[in-house]
Amino acid sequence: MKKNENCDHIKLSVHHLDFFYGKKQVLRKISMDIHKHSITALMGPSGCGKSTFLRVMNRMNDLIPEARAIGTVLLDNEDIYGNNTDVVKLRQRVGMVFQQPNPLPKSIFDNMAYGLRIKGIKDKQKIAELIEKSLKKTSLWGEVKDELHKSALSLSGGQQQRLCIARAIVMEPEMILMDEPCSALDPISTTKIEELMKELVDDYTIVIVTHNMQQAQRVSDWTGFFYMGDLLEFDKTKEIFHHPKEKKTQEYIEGRWG
Amino acid sequence: MSKHEQFSEKLGKSLIFIFASISLLILLSIVFFIFRDGFLAFKENGFFHFIFGHDWNVQDNTFSVLPLIVGSLVVTIGALLFSVPIGFSCAVFLAEIAPEKVRNIVKPAIDILVGIPSVVFGLLGMILLVPYIRDHYGGPGLSILAAIIVLILMILPTIIAQAEDSIRSVPSSFKNASLAMGATHLQTIWNVILPCAKSGLVSSVMLASGRAIGEAMAIYMVIGNTFTFPKSLIDPSRTLTSNIVGQIEEAAVGGTHLHALFGCGLILLFIVFILNSYSFFIKRRGCRSC
Amino acid sequence: MFKRNKILSVIVGIVAILGIASFMVPSNALTATAKTTIELWLNKPQAKVNGETRWIDDTNHSVTPISKWGRTLLPVRFISENFGLVTLWDAKESKVTVMQGGELAGTISEAGSTSVLPLAEKFALAFMKKHPKVRISYTGGGTGAGIKQSAGGTVDIGAASRDLKISEPDLMVHAIARDGVAIIVNKGIGITGLTIDQLGKIYAGQVTDWKDVGGKSGKINVYTREEGSGTRDTFQSMVLDPAGLKMSPACLAKKSNGEIQMSVQSDPNGIGYVSFGYTEGVKGLLLNGKEPTIENVKNGSYPISRRLYFLTKHNDNLLVQAFIAFCRSDEGQKIVSQEGYIQLAD
């Protein structure tokens, strides 16, 4: 277990990460620090490795056969790729929201309660309280409080995505990873989710993958620009957008390609 | 659309209509004939006597089928009791746990097993199973146990193949959602994947039970065909289907014997109808939640 | 009940054409050179063919030569078939045709009794050897199937191992052989014989252990044929009916002689009944102290036997009639005894 001393404000620290699918290397020597209570945006053209990098943080890549990570990823100074890591616990600490809203084919209530039950919480009172709290946080409560036992699939796309966020935060994670959470949504729903992120960042550390440069600019504190498996640039969002150091970054931001 | 295209469009449509009507007509006439002769059995023997009696005698001209219904149900349910848990476990293993290499070998093998004619299983049962049961458990060897084992071997590949397909067709997003919330693989399989695959799993069971209850020849070869209620697993018995297959060739045309055999067919039709309606009902319910 | 047409011919002309019958001039010189000699007597149902006594019609013993209008009328089928000619009876037109020579060609399909099966196969082989352009196929299915399929026209010839019942279709019935029904047990069973009475009780389910009939202790596994089987009917009417017994529903049913033979062969406690042709690998029991042999059936001491029949429609074709005539001829009857069945004439 490696210790990183002088960084109390760092939630997650990635150092020299190489990532492979079989023989194909998809990430090269990535190093990045994710700051506590900040929103970090990962940008870049399709296939640049940004989603893979996101999934490194909660080891969702483990599901892919022959996927392999070399390097260190420290969450609160503990190596999540270490031998002693409990992947299940890790995923409870680092929640995830996917590109397509993916509520389970169960009722709204059961979607919310699912993770709690798995965590071992049996007290029905407590489950109901936690669910209400999370739904209120995602401002879904008012919309669904009377139909908690309706199928989650009957909700609109935007509502479904907010349910997925509520489902993630009901587990009381420390970090939330979002993989293009708005790309399947309409502008109004997108705005709601962006506002939600800004509220949530007080309690959580958020990492978001996005194609949408305006979105990155609007919501994030930090931005990393990926290109062909390399992290070309990583800095405060304002710096990246106003004074990019790399030519490729500038071109991408100006919309010349991508 | 050119005139030529219009013509071939029309021709195609009417051909499809004709073929559809023909197959529908054939189906209807089959049902009609089973009903016509089957009802005669109920009329000639009395409804309650035919279903709840237990004598079948051509000489005395009395027919009733309770031992056959019991035999059919015992054998089918017995086979399902074993093959459903085993089949589902195999399917989960193949779809979720087994490495790709293992799956690539096992899956085609199972698909081939699905296509093996049931008589082959019957023959194996007759040559290997029946003497084994006779020597180790007593009785004539010809028994419902032998029939159940033959049926298990016969329907297991059907269940595995179908269940595996339906498990694999569960969208990976559901699986990801569950795993990302910190569920273990096993919890995910149990709480998300199996419930989502429910309609497919149910139809695999229905298909299998249809095969089981409709199987005639393989069962005829190993069940012993006594006209008695089985009191233990090593007792012989007789099923509706094996009764038909055993006697249809010998039954005189237009006689009460033949009608009684059609009556067996009618009861089978009724059982299969109930099975199908049940699976239809479950599937509809499955769709609403999925 | 027997629908076989007795062509007690009223067509005197045909008798005249066939006027080779030796009874007309029973001279020694003639019989010495004749290939076939047939001797018939007025009002006697039996005749002599080459010196051997035969029933003129084995299924109906009232068929005799008669005298009418000062002429002697002979059964034309008996005469012509024994001369190797083919006789056709067209019921629609009440017409008799007698034919000689010509090459036979075509196919004949047969189905029915598995008791007849081994014999029918040998008949077919011999007939096809004689007439290379003829193809004959046989499938089993049991007597019921034989009746149903020949009446329905799916096969040319049905085979039956029992008499037709009144309720059954109107078919022409041609006896082709007699057959005994053997009671078989596994070779390991220590008894050599049963009485008809014991046998009946075993099949009625009143005796269920071998020790009750003098064997080692062990539950008897009783094998029977399905309802409708000709062999089962024979067994029923000759063993169970006289004692007023019913076959127990707990008997294990099989669809053919072969399956019974196989089951009894592998089941150390098995007992079954089969046509004489299916006793290999199993032990045939003495019945009332009599061995199941052809001799004992011939002399009437073995108690279970029956006739085997071919069934055809009334307007069957020349080929089918020629085949049946062959089966019933001396040549065919030789095959009957070679195969372990009993000749009609015996």
Side-chain angles (χ1 to χ4, degrees), chain A residues 60 63 88 91-92 96 98 102-106 114-115 118 153 167 171, chain B residues 173-174 176-184 187-188 191-192 196 289-290:
Chain A
M60 279 298 273
L63 303 175
V88 165
R91 290 188 190 141
Q92 286 172 1
M96 189 163 200
F98 295 84
N102 60 350
L104 297 172
K106 299 167 182 284
Y114 179 76
I118 277 171
L153 298 176
R167 193 175 63 180
M171 300 291 288
Chain B
S173 68
F174 293 160
N176 286 340
S178 170
L179 290 170
M181 269 184 283
T184 61
Q187 285 171 327
T188 303
N191 292 310
V192 175
C196 289
S289 74
C290 243

Side-chain angles (χ1 to χ4, degrees), chain A residues 13 17 31 38 54 103 112 145 177 179 207 222 237-239:
Chain A
S13 169
L17 180 87
S31 296
S38 70
L54 189 76
M112 296 295 295
K145 65 169 186 273
L177 310 176
D179 191 356
V207 182
W222 296 80
T237 302
K238 273 181 196 156
E239 288 296 313

